[in-house]
Structure formats: C-alpha cells, structure tokens
Amino acid sequence: MRAMNGDDVTEAVAGCTAALRAAVDRDWKAVRAGRLEWDCHATAVHVADDLIAYAANLAGRAQDAYVPFELTLDEGTDNAGLLHVIETTGALLAAAVRTAAPGVRGFHPYPFRSADAEGFAAMGIAEVLLHTHDMAEGLGIPYEPPAELVASLLACLFPHVQPGTAPWPTLLWATGRGALPGRAPVTAWRWYNNLVIPGERVTLTGIRPATAHDLRLGGDGGFTWLDGGPYEGTREAASFLVKAYEAGVHRPEFGVFVLVRHEDGRAIGGMGFHSVPDEDGRVEIGYDLVEGVRGQGYATEALRTLAEWALARDDVSSLFATVERDNTASQAVVTRVGFAQVSDEGDELAYELRR
C-alpha cells in the first residue's frame, strides 16, 4: 500500500475508458449498470460529474458545500464523447491533486466534512473503479483494475476494513458488490477520509495506514519534519496502527495524529490513541514532540485540543495516560490539561481526565 496521487487517478481513468470502449457501440441507456438502479449512460455521467466536482472542491478549497455547478452534456453526445468527458474530468482531478499545496482541504460531506488531496484522489478513483465495474457487469464485458491500485485505495478510504489476500474482491465486498468467504454480506457502507482537528498553533492531522507504514519503515510519511523527526515514539505508534489495520480493528478517528505547525507547515510530533475506547468509554492516549519544540506549550495545546474532541463524543467517558516517573515535563503537560493522578506504581504514574 502507498499514498494515492494524481498518477493513480490517471491510471484508474485509463483503465475505465479502455474497458468501456469495448462496448462503445451499445445503447448504454438501455442497459442497467450491474446492481445499480441507474443505466450505464447515467452511471458514466455520474462518474464524470464526481471527478469534476472533486477537482473543483479541492482547487476551490470549498468549505461548507460543493462548488455550485453541475456537469451537463451537450445534446447528442454519444458514448465515445462521454468517455472523452470522463478522460477530461479525470485529467482535471489529477491536475488538482498534483498542484494542491500540503495541508489544503476541501469540502466533502462525510464523515469528517473535508478531504485533502490524497482523499480527493482516492474518492475519484473509487468512483471510477466501482462504477466501471457496475457498467462492465451490465454490459457483460471484463474488467479488473490493478491489484496494487486497489490495495492502496482500500488502505486510504477503507482503513476500517481488514485487507484480504485479494484486494479487488475485498473492495467489491466492502461496497456491497460481492461476497467474501468468512465475512458477512455488506448491506450499508461508507468510506473514511482522514480526520483533522485544528488547534490554535497546530493541526492534528490523522494519518492513514499507508502513511503509518512509511513512518514505521523510517520514512517521513509525506510530512516535512522539524529537526529531522519524527521521534521514535511516533514511529512506534505508527507501527501499532498498521498492525491494527491488518487485523481489521483500526478505527480512523482513534488512530495517530501528526502535529503540524501552522506557521511553517512543519511536523513537530505525534499524538494519538492506543486503541478504541473500552466498554466503559475509557481510552488511553500518548504523545511525543521533536526535541526542538519542547517546552513551548505545543504538547499542552495539542493534548487539550484532542481531549476536548474526544470527550465531546458519546463513546468516550475518560482519557488515560501513563507518564514515566522521571518525565516531569510530561507530567506538567497532563496536569495543565486537567488530568489527575490516579495511581503511582513502579516507574510510571497514571493520570486520568474524565468528562
């Protein structure tokens, strides 16, 4: 798995149009697109409409709604012309993704009300792959996208889904389009963009499994780190995230966040949850900073921001943190945020913050 980019959008669109050209002389309005209620023509228009909408929302940095326009074909546009529209709108999305500055986000309604460039790339690819499958199924033509592309898409938009040995059947199962041995049928689904939580001086940027995989292997995860970071604790947390994803127990809102400083866009640390909340709503939290920014209040601000977000949820009743006995700086951080010491055992002190 790897981070998704504009080249992936181009690859997905090329595979779509190559497959559908085999049936370009058919009446697409007379053929239902697989299990969808739409016909193949309407489905193809939907793909093009989504591609241009995603490009517009990212390039225009839409905040609260889609950019207010709609794709309309010229009267008399044939199937070949419609495929040209898909190619063109796909090229526009790919360009928007390639040229987006780091950290730029645009509106998307769920689940967290925004997406970054990678998210828009992945959503566009998902629309292309899944609806090409629908149309190909209706038209009776073969279609299967590259396994590596699908595996990266699953890790990006479906981090809550345990990856299978074959990515394409796993994606079809995860979106209610097929069966997978040993797994119950999917009747309702949605994808997940990464969560970002803004603070006063830093943004907590949720990382995806592919980013965590890169950090675990010693990479930068696509971030520009201060002082040659990240600190080892962030890499260890990234390793735990990858293991949770591979086990199918990862929930993206309870993962790992990279702390990105507003003033220069540099990553200065990591913070996140050790797991999902337990049955009592209790969840453990951890963090670290690169050495060059310690003592400047960043950890306190980020922890307060994440704590406020977590305790506003119905499934979280308390946050828990363990701090080494000789780490007085970290003890001061949790205390300033409002954590109270609840135990004193061995080399570690335990702190808790309740709703």
Side-chain angles (χ1 to χ4, degrees):
M1 58 182 169
R2 52 178 170 73
M4 310 214 77
N5 56 40
D7 291 343
D8 295 321
V9 176
T10 301
E11 180 182 12
V13 169
C16 161
T17 55
L20 294 177
R21 281 197 180 94
V24 74
D25 58 340
R26 301 270 298 278
D27 182 1
W28 289 4
K29 293 183 179 180
V31 179
R32 182 173 170 177
R35 305 181 186 189
L36 303 182
E37 296 297 327
W38 300 332
D39 61 49
C40 288
H41 182 274
T43 303
V45 173
H46 171 78
V47 170
D49 194 36
D50 276 344
L51 291 171
I52 191 61
Y54 293 158
N57 275 20
L58 178 60
R61 303 190 184 188
Q63 295 301 304
D64 301 312
Y66 279 94
V67 178
F69 74 97
E70 186 175 358
L71 177 73
T72 302
L73 298 181
D74 286 345
E75 186 175 350
T77 299
D78 60 11
N79 292 338
L82 180 49
L83 291 181
H84 190 197
V85 173
I86 291 176
E87 289 174 328
T88 303
T89 53
L92 291 172
L93 176 57
V97 169
R98 293 185 184 110
T99 57
V104 166
R105 300 184 74 85
F107 172 79
H108 190 271
Y110 63 80
F112 305 125
R113 306 292 292 177
S114 72
D116 60 5
E118 183 179 357
F120 276 113
M123 290 189 294
I125 292 166
E127 297 286 355
V128 170
L129 301 191
L130 293 170
H131 289 318
T132 302
H133 162 80
D134 298 331
M135 290 182 281
E137 187 175 60
L139 293 165
I141 57 177
Y143 172 72
E144 182 170 341
E148 183 181 3
L149 182 66
V150 180
S152 296
L153 176 62
L154 280 165
C156 183
L157 288 186
F158 297 86
H160 56 297
V161 171
Q162 184 176 19
T165 55
W168 183 231
T170 301
L171 179 61
L172 294 179
W173 167 80
T175 57
R177 288 171 165 83
L180 207 59
R183 303 196 194 186
V186 172
T187 57
W189 61 274
R190 69 167 40 178
W191 59 51
Y192 285 82
N193 280 295
N194 66 322
L195 172 65
V196 296
I197 308 173
E200 182 180 350
R201 294 183 297 164
V202 296
T203 293
L204 285 72
T205 303
I207 64 173
R208 301 176 171 95
T211 300
H213 178 68
D214 184 59
L215 288 171
R216 180 179 66 168
L217 296 179
D220 59 17
F223 295 93
T224 302
W225 289 86
L226 189 70
D227 295 344
Y231 193 65
E232 190 57 36
T234 299
R235 296 197 188 280
E236 184 178 13
S239 178
F240 292 149
L241 190 157
V242 173
K243 291 177 181 178
Y245 170 62
E246 292 173 344
V249 296
H250 175 56
R251 283 175 60 187
E253 63 269 45
F254 288 104
V256 178
F257 299 83
V258 167
L259 310 182
V260 180
R261 190 163 63 179
H262 295 168
E263 67 179 59
D264 56 7
R266 296 292 186 100
I268 61 171
M271 181 172 290
F273 302 96
H274 289 197
S275 65
V276 299
D278 64 19
E279 59 184 9
D280 296 320
R282 186 170 179 264
V283 60
E284 187 171 358
I285 197 168
Y287 56 89
D288 64 28
L289 293 179
V290 299
E291 292 185 4
V293 297
R294 293 176 186 173
Q296 300 177 35
Y298 287 112
T300 301
E301 176 193 327
L303 181 57
R304 182 177 291 117
T305 299
L306 188 57
E308 289 176 352
W309 175 87
L311 292 174
R313 296 176 57 93
D314 292 336
D315 54 355
V316 177
S317 61
S318 65
L319 301 178
F320 181 75
T322 57
V323 183
E324 294 178 355
R325 183 178 296 277
D326 59 357
N327 191 347
T328 56
S330 190
Q331 293 167 29
V333 168
V334 295
T335 301
R336 282 194 294 267
V337 174
F339 284 71
Q341 185 178 330
V342 292
S343 71
D344 182 347
E345 297 180 5
D347 295 331
E348 291 186 335
L349 307 178
Y351 292 82
E352 187 176 35
L353 177 64
R354 300 191 65 81
R355 184 184 298 160

